[in-house]
Amino acid sequence: SKTLHIIGGGMAGSEAAWQAAHQGVQVVIHEMRPQVGTFAHRTGHLAEMVCSNSFRSDDHESNAVGLLHWEMRAAGGLIMEQAAVHRLPAGGALAVDRDPFAESVTARIKAHPLISVSYEEITELPDDGHWIIATGPLTSGALAESIRAATGAEALAFFDAIAPIVYAESVDMSVAWMQSRYDKGETAEEQTAYINCPLTREQYEDFIDALLAAEKTEFKEGETAGYFDGCLPIEVMAERGRETLRFGPMKPVGLTNPHQPDVKAYAVVQLRRDNKLGTLFNMVGFQTKMKYGAQTDVFKRIPGLTNASFARLGGIHRNTFINSPTLLDNQMRLKSHPHIRFAGQITGVEGYVESAAMGLLAGRMAAAEIKGETLLPPPPETATGALITHITGGAEAKTFQPMNVNFGLFPPINAKGGRRGRKDRYKAYTDRAKDAFTAWLG
Ligand code: FAD
């Protein structure tokens, strides 16, 4: 059959349906709400925003998520079209009136002659046909079980445990140094896999005090069930004892500080390379529920990170997502079951905008396939392309955690003729992206 079936009518599923229908393909969306609910959704509308009512920065000249807005508009995206209609004043952010927004997306979809919506929960991976799975962070249990059976237990996660990610260039290497513990690893790549930040006893005590005092986000009821085994937040570790971190993720063993070879560090924070480009590093073992403002305050106390800028801050959430770097091809198809694509947050992107962007891409790719064509992904110089390149290949598969769009995912622009100002540099990224995205659309 030439019909495209989409499971889940959230941000990604709605956008995927819209894009495919605009390519002339017949679409059925299978949405379980309102029959079956989730702990976060309140309505039966498509594209419901479950928490914040903001699509974040709309600055498409110097912000990566604003650039993603620009690209989605250029591609005729439904989510951006309706966000513009229901926009609320919010400075540089694209905030919307959430209920009318979701009602309009639903109405636009239902009015499209090529799209129909079937309100039902799908509980098993389909055997044949053309499918996109866009069931999001709160994918229903039965379907998650079926995905798990097809992909392997290791390849499907039910929580994210996100350690903060730092731009490599913002780490002060006159204080920090590169070395893997006990100098493990032969290749140059392995030897540049870790950055180490040393703390003296006073700095460690000060850090623990700040950590204990920091403001935390509370877990929602039912959110933590069966979770806390492997992956405690750092503040919980610190609450168990002031020394716990020093014998855990901050242990100073197997490392020699070349800046001060005679001084043994009291504790060390390790950062591990997070992408092949080497532009992003994550703070190893530093998953946290601290509020965002508190995280930057606390982490700036770590020597070497005084001026760090963060590509993303840490968090722990209920979040169903697959290990896309190992499971998906660059057409977003499950390698083992190529009639099934994945889109949205379940692919390991995070956020309304990123999820909708992955829906846009999956919808267009699936439509092309149904018409006997192949649509290549946009190049990594674009925001959409940077995301898809990251999740299907650029990210380290072993430590894969959900990712927001950010300039660290883009191929770096060489700052020839001296260091450009940050704003100019981001403008260079977004100019390059817009040209590349326009060419891809053409
Ligand atoms: P969703 O928008 O969740 O859509 C998935 C759809 O699939 C849902 O409608 C669901 O009912 C349906 N579904 C699930 N299983 C089945 C099934 N078996 N059969 C049929 N239908 C099914 N992002 C932000 O940008 N800002 C925030 O403030 C924010 N806060 C969040 C707070 C919480 C508590 C959670 C859980 C997530 C939050 N997110 C936030 C992430 C946000 O939910 C996602 O980025 C975005 O909604 C993902 O889009 P999606 O289309 O992948 O999934």
Side-chain angles (χ1 to χ4, degrees), residues 403-421:
M403 185 56 102
N404 283 138
V405 70
N406 66 77
F407 288 120
L409 303 177
F410 292 60
I413 289 185
N414 285 330
K416 284 204 196 83
R419 230 180 132 73
R420 305 189 208 192

Side-chain angles (χ1 to χ4, degrees), residues 6-14 29-34 36-41 43-56 118-124 133-144 220 223 317-319 343-347 349-356 359 404:
I6 299 174
I7 313 179
M11 293 294 159
S14 302
I29 296 177
H30 305 262
E31 168 55 54
M32 70 178 184
R33 290 179 296 118
V36 181
T38 76
F39 81 78
H41 292 88
T43 74
H45 304 314
L46 305 179
E48 179 179 332
M49 301 170 94
V50 292
C51 183
S52 146
N53 69 328
S54 170
F55 290 111
R56 315 203 315 270
S118 167
Y119 289 98
E120 58 180 335
E121 180 192 6
I122 303 288
T123 55
E124 264 180 72
I133 300 186
T135 45
L138 307 176
T139 296
S140 75
L143 185 65
K220 285 206 173 67
E223 222 184 346
H317 316 93
R318 170 80 172 79
N319 193 4
Q345 185 141 326
I346 197 168
T347 63
V349 297
E350 173 152 325
Y352 303 137
V353 183
E354 288 84 343
S355 298
N404 283 138

